Amino acid sequence: MVISQYHNISLVPPRKINVLKASTYIRVSTGRQAEEGASLEAQQRITRAYAEAQGWNVVHEFVDAGVSGRSMDGRSGMQEALSRAGEYDRLIVWKMSRFGRSSRDTLNLVHDFQEQGVEVVFVEDAIDTSKAQSRFLMQILAAVAEMESANIAVQVHAGMEQRASQGVWQGGPTPFGYTTDDDGYLIIDPPAQQTIQKMAQLIIDGKTTGQVARWLNARIESHPPPRMKRWKSPEVRRHLTRRALLGELDWDGTPVPAPAVLDPD
């Protein structure tokens, strides 16, 4: 009897290899680039070559042609990539600059994709967010983003200080007695000024703040400040004792030049 030398080999079927599904995202910023197509074609070629080298199947290609990365508005390709994130495992992008305007934008978008089970690959930057080394690089980017955010905040605050010093109101309700022109400069609101001047005259004539409030509430033209339905004694006192009525306003410690609602004399 001949016994096969293979009698003790278990015929186990080969283990199935899961091939990752990938999508590519390409973007150019200007209409000229989009029309010429060179940048789009180059990004397409690079991202698809990367997927092929990794043995991944490309199932979608998302394109934003001639669209700025400054905002998600108008980036229909990126919006579609997010909405269909459950259909693939990797999103391949040529460079981080094609993905987001700043480090902070890029990190936020990467986080959005990771929450849906998609890792992002930036070919030119050699970053694959599924790998530990790349996650370390993303932490460095997070630190850079914090510095960017801080620098932007400082620059914005400095700009607001400069505008405030020129008489431009920096947002929020204007003090009662004022409004703004089309360029944001503080100007007198004539109806409110008339109300304030009448309040001051009544006080000079010997009326109490409670009497002034009742007098104002009895007259439709004596409109109260925003968010107030009726005048009350404390509000009369508060508004008449504000230095802002004399044109002495400030924004975060910066004097804001403005005309006086009341004559200081």
Side-chain angles (χ1 to χ4, degrees):
M1 182 176 66
V2 178
I3 301 177
S4 170
Q5 60 178 322
Y6 304 110
H7 73 280
N8 61 343
I9 296 178
S10 176
L11 298 179
V12 178
R15 186 166 52 186
K16 184 179 180 179
I17 299 175
N18 292 323
V19 178
L20 293 179
K21 296 178 181 179
S23 292
T24 62
Y25 174 74
I26 59 181
R27 180 180 69 82
V28 291
S29 300
T30 67
R32 180 171 175 269
Q33 286 178 327
E35 291 171 3
E36 291 175 354
S39 294
L40 287 171
E41 290 173 356
Q43 292 179 50
Q44 181 185 58
R45 183 175 64 255
I46 292 169
T47 52
R48 284 187 170 270
Y50 184 90
E52 183 178 352
Q54 301 299 316
W56 301 342
N57 289 336
V58 176
V59 294
H60 298 300
E61 181 178 90
F62 305 107
V63 181
D64 280 323
V67 178
S68 169
R70 185 173 297 276
S71 169
M72 284 293 286
D73 295 337
R75 295 180 68 181
S76 58
M78 178 60 73
Q79 293 171 7
E80 185 180 3
L82 278 168
S83 67
R84 304 183 70 172
E87 301 175 12
Y88 56 94
D89 309 295
R90 297 288 187 274
L91 181 66
I92 308 172
V93 187
W94 173 48
K95 290 180 68 174
M96 293 179 68
S97 62
R98 302 296 86 199
F99 200 62
R101 179 178 62 89
S102 67
S103 299
R104 173 60 62 192
D105 293 338
T106 298
L107 285 169
N108 288 340
L109 278 172
V110 167
H111 177 72
D112 291 342
F113 278 102
Q114 287 179 322
E115 280 196 326
Q116 300 186 65
V118 175
E119 298 293 347
V120 184
V121 176
F122 301 105
V123 179
E124 189 74 10
D125 304 292
I127 290 178
D128 179 344
T129 62
S130 69
K131 301 187 181 304
Q133 183 177 3
S134 292
R135 287 195 292 271
F136 175 69
L137 289 175
M138 295 302 288
Q139 290 175 351
I140 294 176
L141 280 176
V144 171
E146 289 299 327
M147 288 191 293
E148 285 181 350
S149 179
N151 289 336
I152 290 171
V154 169
Q155 293 169 9
V156 168
H157 191 273
M160 294 178 75
E161 278 187 340
Q162 176 66 21
R163 291 191 295 274
S165 69
Q166 297 171 348
V168 179
W169 191 245
Q170 298 306 297
T174 55
F176 187 61
Y178 293 94
T179 185
T180 56
D181 63 15
D182 293 339
D183 296 319
Y185 288 90
L186 281 172
I187 57 175
I188 290 175
D189 178 10
Q193 182 185 37
Q194 292 175 6
T195 298
I196 290 171
Q197 289 175 339
K198 186 60 180 179
M199 291 163 57
Q201 186 59 54
L202 289 171
I203 293 296
I204 292 172
D205 292 342
K207 302 295 185 183
T208 65
T209 54
Q211 290 173 324
V212 172
R214 287 190 293 273
W215 187 92
L216 292 171
N217 289 329
R219 287 159 177 79
I220 297 176
E221 68 273 13
S222 300
H223 61 283
R227 299 190 300 276
M228 277 179 51
K229 294 182 179 179
R230 293 176 59 81
W231 282 101
K232 297 180 181 179
S233 175
E235 292 300 318
V236 171
R237 182 181 301 107
R238 184 172 70 85
H239 281 286
L240 285 179
T241 55
R242 293 180 67 179
R243 302 294 298 178
L245 298 181
L246 304 180
E248 299 178 9
L249 295 89
D250 76 273
W251 178 82
D252 200 23
T254 300
V256 182
V261 176
L262 281 179
D263 187 341
D265 297 330

